[in-house]
Amino acid sequence: MKKAVAAEPVEKAAAAKSVKKKAAAAKSAKSVTKAAAAKPVKSVTKAAAEPESRTALVRRARRINRELAEVYPYAHPELDFENPFQLLVATVLSAQTTDLRVNQTTPALFAKYPTPEDLAAANPEEVEELIRPTGFFRAKTKSIMGLAAALRDEFGGEVPGRLEDLVKLPGVGRKTAFVVMGNAFGRPGITVDTHFGRLVRRWKWTQETDPDKVEKAVGELFPKSDWTMLSHRVIFHGRRICHARKPACGACPIAPLCPAYGEGETDPEKAKKLLKYEKGGFPGQRLKPPQSYLDAGGIPAPPLGATAPPATGE
């Protein structure tokens, strides 16, 4: 009887030891399972850090373009114009200012000088006063009056549709020429403005900073037929979501494809407050935007001196 009593604690100790062993074994098995599950993530991370092949870059760039096409089916040039001459002048005036300010300024300018002949014969001081809100008004007056005179004297008062002719006009570079060619004549062109350059570098499409080199590098990633609309979509995205100082990463529809994700606000609610124009419920840049933009909830910009309508939310 004494032996049995003495053996009881020993048996209990043995049982406890066995339970501990089983628990340790289970813990070990669990760790192995976790490690095995973590392995693919590790390899994905490693793969993501490897240099992107040319083929992968092209695929990712084109996928971003397709995603942007769904987000901005109403993307368009954000300068108001009714003919190639108005677009050409408006684009020259848009240097170092916003499209909104140009759109608020050009109605009075075009009402007084509707043709190249009219603008070429204008009083420079009167033109300066009309375009003063766009900034650098003296230099811009010289450019737009010079190009108006060139159109009158060399092209019969018509805006040419060829790149080599457009870039000969005063104040007209490749960027302005491609805006006019793509939107007034339907000829493909890539518009490399500050938004476009910033985004394509963030997306690692190119590291170039010179606009002509950016244009060439990006153009090689896409068929020519995509160039004009690609420009609109990228610029739209740069103005609405992927801002220069504080991009709204948490509200960005192409975040999974973006190598620069995390440079801006990643919290969805905070990021949503950073959205601009129709995405944030605010007026756009055009006083007379396309109907598709209005149908998508876009609000026309107010005329010069008018009070902007309040934000309505998305």
Side-chain angles (χ1 to χ4, degrees):
M1 200 62 180
K2 283 181 182 177
K3 273 187 181 179
V5 172
E8 191 174 334
V10 175
E11 289 176 23
K12 280 186 177 178
K17 195 174 181 181
S18 174
V19 168
K20 280 184 181 179
K21 276 186 179 179
K22 284 181 181 177
K27 190 176 180 182
S28 176
K30 196 174 181 182
S31 298
V32 171
T33 306
K34 272 188 175 179
K39 240 180 181 179
V41 177
K42 191 176 180 183
S43 65
V44 168
T45 306
K46 188 179 178 182
E50 291 175 0
E52 188 174 37
S53 70
R54 178 70 180 179
T55 301
L57 170 60
V58 171
R59 286 175 179 167
R60 182 170 61 84
R62 294 186 181 187
R63 186 176 169 192
I64 286 176
N65 184 37
R66 290 195 299 272
E67 296 284 340
L68 293 179
E70 292 184 13
V71 178
Y72 308 107
Y74 46 80
H76 57 271
E78 293 192 89
L79 288 168
D80 282 322
F81 69 98
E82 295 177 358
N83 55 55
F85 173 61
Q86 290 188 359
L87 179 58
L88 178 60
V89 171
T91 307
V92 172
L93 294 179
S94 70
Q96 305 299 314
T97 190
T98 63
D99 287 356
L100 169 60
R101 185 48 58 100
V102 174
N103 293 336
Q104 292 174 325
T105 303
T106 51
L109 177 70
F110 295 142
K112 191 163 187 177
Y113 310 111
T115 69
E117 292 83 359
D118 295 324
L119 184 56
N123 180 329
E125 291 182 359
E126 292 180 4
V127 176
E128 286 178 3
E129 198 55 38
L130 285 170
I131 69 168
R132 183 183 290 269
T134 67
F136 303 96
F137 57 92
R138 290 191 179 89
K140 288 180 180 180
T141 293
K142 188 176 179 181
S143 291
I144 64 174
M145 289 190 67
L147 71 83
L151 292 176
R152 178 196 62 194
D153 299 340
E154 299 173 34
F155 298 98
E158 299 293 330
V159 176
R162 297 193 313 163
L163 177 65
E164 53 267 42
D165 292 330
L166 284 166
V167 295
K168 291 177 185 175
L169 299 172
V172 178
R174 289 178 69 87
K175 171 192 160 187
T176 297
F178 281 131
V179 169
V180 174
M181 287 170 58
N183 299 290
F185 296 104
R187 293 174 184 168
I190 292 177
T191 304
V192 183
D193 70 351
T194 54
H195 301 287
F196 192 93
R198 179 178 75 252
L199 267 62
V200 298
R201 284 188 288 274
R202 275 183 179 166
W203 295 337
K204 307 295 184 190
W205 290 3
T206 180
Q207 292 302 316
E208 299 289 354
T209 55
D210 178 78
D212 291 352
K213 291 180 179 178
V214 171
E215 174 201 320
K216 183 177 186 300
V218 175
E220 291 173 351
L221 301 175
F222 297 90
K224 275 190 177 183
S225 57
D226 287 352
W227 287 0
T228 299
M229 284 309 300
L230 170 71
S231 299
H232 292 325
R233 292 165 191 152
V234 173
I235 293 169
F236 256 58
H237 193 63
R239 284 176 169 163
R240 286 149 179 78
I241 296 177
C242 196
H243 311 135
R245 294 182 184 175
K246 201 169 185 182
C249 294
C252 181
I254 60 166
L257 300 168
C258 180
Y261 175 79
E263 283 188 11
E265 180 58 64
T266 56
D267 179 86
E269 289 306 312
K270 290 180 181 177
K272 193 175 179 182
K273 293 177 182 177
L274 300 173
L275 301 180
K276 295 182 180 179
Y277 304 112
E278 78 286 346
K279 291 295 177 186
F282 297 98
Q285 303 227 63
R286 291 186 66 165
L287 279 66
K288 297 178 180 179
Q291 189 60 46
S292 58
Y293 179 78
L294 299 174
D295 293 341
I299 305 169
L304 195 64
T307 304
T312 58
E314 279 190 76

